[in-house]
Amino acid sequence: DFQKFLFGISEALVTDELEALKFLSLEHIPMRKLEAIQEPKAFFEVLQEKDMIEAGNLAFLKELLFLISRMDLLAAHLGSSREEMERELQIPGRAKVSAYRQLLYGIAEDLTPEDVKSVKFLLQKQIPKNKLQDNASMLKVLLEMERNGIIKEDNLTMLKDILKGFRLDIKKKIDTYEEKKKGKLFNLWTNNLCITCFSFGCLALLSHLLSLFLQLVESYEMKNNPHGYCVILNNYIFKNPYEAREGTVKDGEAVKRVFKWLQFETVEHMDLEAKQMYAKVKEYSKKDHSNMDCFVCFIFSHGEKDKIKGVDHEFVNIKDLLSCFSGSNCPSLAGKPKLFFIQACQGSVGHPAVTVKEDFSDHLETDATPLPSIPDQADILVGMATVEDYECYRCTKTGSVYVQCLCNKMELLCPLRKDLITILTEVNKEVGGRVLNGWKQMPKITSTLRKQLIFRI
């Protein structure tokens, strides 16, 4: 039994090892979610949710146990060895933990308690003292350095400056890592262009072409605080009690948490009739958005194709809601991005599935709802939970598959400066890879955005 197998491994792990596993997984699991984990079993549950481990696919678990030097667990539970893992991780693309994160973990392991005290002392002006208390491990100190922008994958200068005074050997390890990274980047550059060397003239030309390309890929300005309103229309209790949308409160909580973090003024309106939904959207379109960068609206309800159902069982047209934010109806948002995310079915048919891991199969419900028709104006994006004519799914305990995945991806990828279309494509990939009640779900992006939209943290 797979759960018993994971339980056996979790029972053998101690607190420091759990901290190490969480640190090594940071590129795959949002920091907020990792911080809430207090025991190994919960960590393994999150890895399963993220499809990082499953029966028959334990490569990531092997890699983690190898990196924290638990060769006993690797041998006893996974039938592997140090030598086998060393060979395995030499294969290009096989390692899931980046060389950068491995380097930081190795530094934390190499430093003595006295070294760690020295690091904390030298960081007192850059990091709040309550984050540098005696019981704070070096891994936690490194996390704070990352949070405060003191170290990044491509900038370890301050860490080197700190270490060179008392651990020159580790400073040299960082130098070696940086040289290897430069070498790999150069080799990648040359291999892709099928040449072995460049003249300075060629490099100058390529630099000029790259700068021209970057000028073409413009980004929307996101300079105000707050960036704009994030409005949530969340229909939970309907006149027919059998239509209650259990789990939708979790979706509202997730959206509020993420968009407050992204510096939006977040407001949730519960259980609106159809006319009230339209009136609320129109109310926000009449506001002055001159000192804001963006507008975001989430709609959670039942519905039918092209329509959303109010709690009174009347319908409002999606087109009418979107038209409130046309350039003529909302001039203060002209040229600025308007984002709508709709959690609802676009039909009553389950999407055919292929054999993939089951998720939430015991607690799923469906939302019947709409296909939006984008008005012919620029700067509007509509993210739908599913393509037309098919159902989408909501877990009664944890919220909808689409909204929860979207929030998780925003938390994970916004700090990496990924643009919204890239994030939504990752959502498509993850949600589309699941099997839900024996059916598939495929989200849809419809966009007339003219520039990249990057939420700056």
Side-chain angles (χ1 to χ4, degrees), residues 309-322:
K309 183 187 282 189
V311 296
D312 58 346
H313 295 187
E314 298 297 320
F315 290 92
V316 59
N317 290 322
I318 294 261
K319 210 181 224 182
D320 293 340
L321 296 178
L322 297 181

Side-chain angles (χ1 to χ4, degrees), residues 62-81:
K62 286 183 180 181
E63 183 178 351
L64 291 176
L65 293 176
F66 170 73
L67 291 174
I68 67 170
S69 298
R70 285 305 302 265
M71 305 306 162
D72 55 333
L73 296 178
L74 203 56
H77 293 272
L78 294 156
S80 190
S81 65

Side-chain angles (χ1 to χ4, degrees), residues 347-364:
S348 57
V349 180
H351 207 137
V354 294
T355 303
V356 185
K357 179 185 171 187
E358 291 281 343
D359 284 320
F360 309 130
S361 56
D362 294 335
H363 307 285
L364 286 169

